[in-house]
Amino acid sequence: MADAVDVAGRAEARLGVARLAVGVAQGVVFLGLHHAQEGKTWPATDGPAFAAIAMAAFFTPLVIIVGLGHMRRATLLAWTLGVAGLAAGLGAYAVANSVRQYENSDPALVPDFPVWAAMAAFVFIGHRLIAPADARRRWLAPYPDYFDVGWLGAAQLALALVFTMVFWFLLKLGAALFNLIGLHGFETAITTDWFYFPATTFAFAAGLHLADVRVGLTRGVRTIGLFLLSWLLPLMSLIAVGFLAALPITGLAPLWASKMATAVLLWSLAALIILANATYRDGEGERVAPAFRWIVRVTAIALVPLAVVAAVGLWLRVHQHGLTPERIVAGACVLVALVYAVGYAAAAVLPGRWMRRLETTNVAAAFLILGLIVALFSPIADPRPIAVADQVSRLTRGVVAPGDFDFVFLRYRAGRAGLAALETLATQRGGPNAVVIAQDAARALESKNAYEAALTGTARFEPFPRGASLPEGLLAALQRDPTYYACRQAPCEVYRIALAGAGNAQYLVSMGFVVRVYSQAGGVWSMVGQVNGPICPAARQALRAGQAVSAPTAPSWKDVVAGGQRLVVIPLLEFHGCPTTASGAPGPSPMSPDPSPR
């Protein structure tokens, strides 16, 4: 007996040494990447190569650490190589197809957060599918094995993260103690790169190992977590049912007007699915109280209308505004949600063991998620080229006016596909609005950042009184105005006025929150003043109708002359509100929406 315990102890020690060695090696790789980035040496000079190494170095050691002791060597080797290759490929592809966000910014070296999140989900789900099947020597394992490995792995990761954070808290606390007596060497040592990277990965590997070898404690943490989550299911289920019951009363119009219906619904569906699984657990029904069984059934049925509403909301947005990468990813999430909803509803209403078909749905949805991740973040079904093709088609067919088209998306958020589309649009000569499209596309290509690209619309000026036209020289002067960009976002109103003592017609130009005064002298138009204060709605209506009249200025203000220079004194803005209405009520705020038709 003692020999058996001794052998088990030595095996556990060897396993711990191997895991800690992998953790330290991961830290050393991160240290090398950091120094390469700081010194601008290879692989930091090659964005795709750097991204490939960084992502492979992040995910591959985790697979090895978690898989050691639980997978056969051949299976672990194949799974490790698969994760390393996929992580490197997705990272390199993401960076190779990215564009600089600023003219002088360095090329991207790491993918954006969604790529990391997708790869993390792939590794977590994939490992939880492979490990139980490998242990059973079968392609598919019994559902209780999937449940055990999946939720236990989540608990291990959570404990390892907490262990790492406490590890660094204690180091910082120790540094503070030494600093109290004037010894700053300890703080200097733990904050250097050579210690920070290996120590962090070492602590995380140690946390994973301790949570694995003390699996009884980890199962206890998992049990407490599942118990707490199961008691949150009634609350979330009641909210979902109440929402569905309120829809016939409120109608769908407020839902669509929110512009975020699909996102909120998808998050709600995810919460309901997780809580239902926390209650169902591994399918041993005798552990679930009858009341909770009915709550799970109601939740499963409620998933269907929620998923359908989310799908309809997404379809309406796509129909109105076309495809974007975010909407394509949302479409994939809606597909997964529909699979869960249909499978869970079938499990709730069909005869047989309580919610048994939930198990098949979970496994099938897991494989679907893996496939969607690989497709969406690789050239197979990259959302950016798909969205670019759809948006450009809407523009060239005249569905979207050039002034309303998002050239920033093509220039900075659609990767290489967006740049290629802009270059094509800048040279095209046929089709609706071809000249304006080519000009705006060329401006977007020449922009130095996304803010400048957002201003690549055609300035629009609306003269008043209606039917009037603007002098050609005035338009040229307006295009030199510092706030000219405001007229690219919305039409700027131009009011013809006549000020006392002015020999020529003058114009008020409303440019966003700034109102300029333009006058002509010697055949040259120039800005001669600015309105000091907001324009109330009634005043704007009078300006549009040409009913403005001149008024004398306040005589109490004097300019100052000092050293031959005239210093113009401008009084502080004293805005006392808009004039009252005929009923004596205060008039509308100058910041309130304009009720008149435009």
Side-chain angles (χ1 to χ4, degrees):
M1 185 71 176
D3 292 340
V5 172
D6 192 36
V7 170
R10 287 197 298 269
E12 181 180 313
R14 289 196 297 269
L15 182 62
V17 170
R19 286 171 168 169
L20 296 179
V22 172
V24 173
Q26 182 186 36
V28 172
V29 174
F30 286 158
L31 178 64
L33 291 174
H34 175 72
H35 285 172
Q37 185 177 8
E38 293 290 325
K40 298 188 181 302
T41 60
W42 193 91
T45 55
D46 185 345
F50 188 95
I53 297 173
M55 286 200 66
F58 185 88
F59 291 105
T60 307
L62 298 181
V63 171
I64 298 174
I65 293 171
V66 176
L68 284 174
H70 296 286
M71 284 187 183
R72 290 176 294 173
R73 292 182 180 180
T75 305
L76 179 59
L77 177 61
W79 173 230
T80 301
L81 293 177
V83 168
L86 182 63
L90 295 186
Y93 177 76
V95 170
N97 285 274
S98 63
V99 296
R100 299 188 185 191
Q101 299 299 304
Y102 300 94
E103 183 183 33
N104 298 323
S105 62
D106 294 330
L109 293 179
V110 293
D112 294 333
F113 174 76
V115 182
W116 293 90
M119 189 64 206
F122 183 92
V123 171
F124 181 84
I125 297 173
H127 195 90
R128 271 53 196 171
L129 290 175
I130 293 175
D134 180 69
R136 292 281 184 169
R137 308 298 193 266
R138 296 164 51 182
W139 288 105
L140 293 175
Y143 184 77
D145 291 3
Y146 290 130
F147 164 83
D148 184 61
V149 174
W151 285 94
L152 191 64
Q156 289 174 339
L157 288 173
L159 290 173
L161 286 173
V162 172
F163 181 84
T164 305
M165 289 188 291
V166 174
F167 169 80
W168 271 106
F169 171 77
L170 294 178
L171 287 179
K172 292 290 186 180
L173 182 61
L177 287 174
F178 282 108
N179 289 341
L180 291 177
I181 56 177
L183 298 178
H184 303 284
F186 184 75
E187 181 179 26
T188 301
I190 66 173
T191 54
T192 55
D193 296 338
W194 62 265
F195 180 84
Y196 173 81
F197 288 101
T200 302
T201 54
F202 174 88
F204 189 74
L208 287 175
H209 175 69
L210 293 174
D212 183 52
V213 297
R214 298 295 180 265
V215 69
L217 298 177
T218 306
R219 291 185 190 277
V221 171
R222 182 190 67 180
T223 301
I224 294 174
L226 291 172
F227 177 77
L228 295 177
L229 289 176
S230 66
W231 277 92
L232 291 175
L233 177 64
L235 172 63
M236 191 62 200
S237 181
L238 179 63
I239 293 173
V241 173
F243 170 79
L244 292 173
L247 278 184
I249 301 174
T250 63
L252 296 175
L255 195 66
W256 308 145
S258 68
K259 299 182 180 180
M260 49 192 245
T262 301
V264 175
L265 287 170
L266 286 175
W267 280 109
S268 302
L269 285 163
L272 288 170
I273 291 168
I274 292 173
L275 295 176
N277 276 278
T279 306
Y280 181 80
R281 302 189 184 183
D282 59 359
E284 296 183 3
E286 66 274 13
R287 295 186 179 181
V288 181
F292 279 87
R293 291 191 184 187
W294 281 106
I295 293 173
V296 172
R297 288 183 186 272
V298 172
T299 301
I301 296 172
L303 293 179
V304 175
L306 289 174
V308 170
V309 173
V312 173
L314 179 62
W315 180 85
L316 289 175
R317 295 296 291 174
V318 171
H319 179 71
Q320 293 172 349
H321 304 289
L323 291 173
T324 63
E326 293 78 12
R327 289 174 194 145
I328 294 173
V329 173
C333 295
V334 167
L335 175 61
V336 174
L338 287 171
V339 170
Y340 273 112
V342 173
Y344 281 33
V349 300
L350 293 179
R353 200 190 76 188
W354 174 67
M355 295 298 294
R356 182 173 184 177
R357 292 174 178 83
L358 174 148
E359 301 174 1
T360 304
T361 302
N362 283 345
V363 177
F367 282 106
L368 175 61
I369 292 171
L370 294 182
L372 289 174
I373 289 174
V374 174
L376 292 174
F377 292 90
S378 71
I380 298 174
D382 187 346
R384 291 172 295 183
I386 299 173
V388 166
D390 181 70
Q391 292 292 344
V392 170
S393 174
R394 290 166 56 86
L395 175 65
T396 54
R397 289 186 289 113
V399 177
V400 180
D404 298 326
F405 187 74
D406 189 1
F407 286 95
V408 179
F409 164 69
L410 294 184
R411 177 64 179 86
Y412 291 100
R413 300 200 304 271
R416 301 292 179 184
L419 282 179
L422 272 180
E423 293 170 354
T424 301
L425 291 174
T427 58
Q428 82 169 19
R429 295 294 180 263
N433 305 312
V435 175
V436 177
I437 292 173
Q439 291 175 351
D440 289 346
R443 293 193 191 105
L445 285 171
E446 295 169 358
S447 64
K448 298 179 176 62
N449 51 61
Y451 175 76
E452 184 176 325
L455 310 180
T456 60
T458 302
R460 292 167 288 170
F461 298 95
E462 190 172 357
F464 288 92
R466 295 191 182 278
S469 59
L470 300 181
E472 184 177 347
L474 176 59
L475 287 175
L478 292 177
Q479 292 176 355
R480 296 191 297 269
D481 193 287
T483 57
Y484 164 66
Y485 67 86
C487 307
R488 291 168 173 159
Q489 305 301 306
C492 289
E493 296 188 354
V494 184
Y495 316 109
R496 182 185 174 106
I497 60 174
L499 298 181
N504 299 296
Q506 295 183 325
Y507 289 83
L508 288 180
V509 185
S510 179
M511 296 183 168
F513 293 104
V514 179
V515 181
R516 311 283 200 191
V517 182
Y518 275 82
S519 181
Q520 185 184 38
V524 178
W525 286 91
S526 60
M527 186 181 69
V528 297
Q530 180 171 310
V531 174
N532 188 10
I535 298 180
C536 294
R540 190 176 295 276
Q541 293 294 343
L543 286 169
R544 290 173 178 172
Q547 299 173 352
V549 296
S550 61
T553 58
S556 59
W557 289 97
K558 304 291 184 181
D559 293 344
V560 177
V561 178
Q565 179 184 357
R566 185 184 185 92
L567 306 179
V568 180
V569 177
I570 301 177
L572 292 173
L573 173 63
E574 295 183 3
F575 182 70
H576 301 289
C578 294
T580 57
T581 62
S583 62
S589 166
M591 300 304 178
S592 62
D594 186 0
S596 61
R598 292 295 303 277

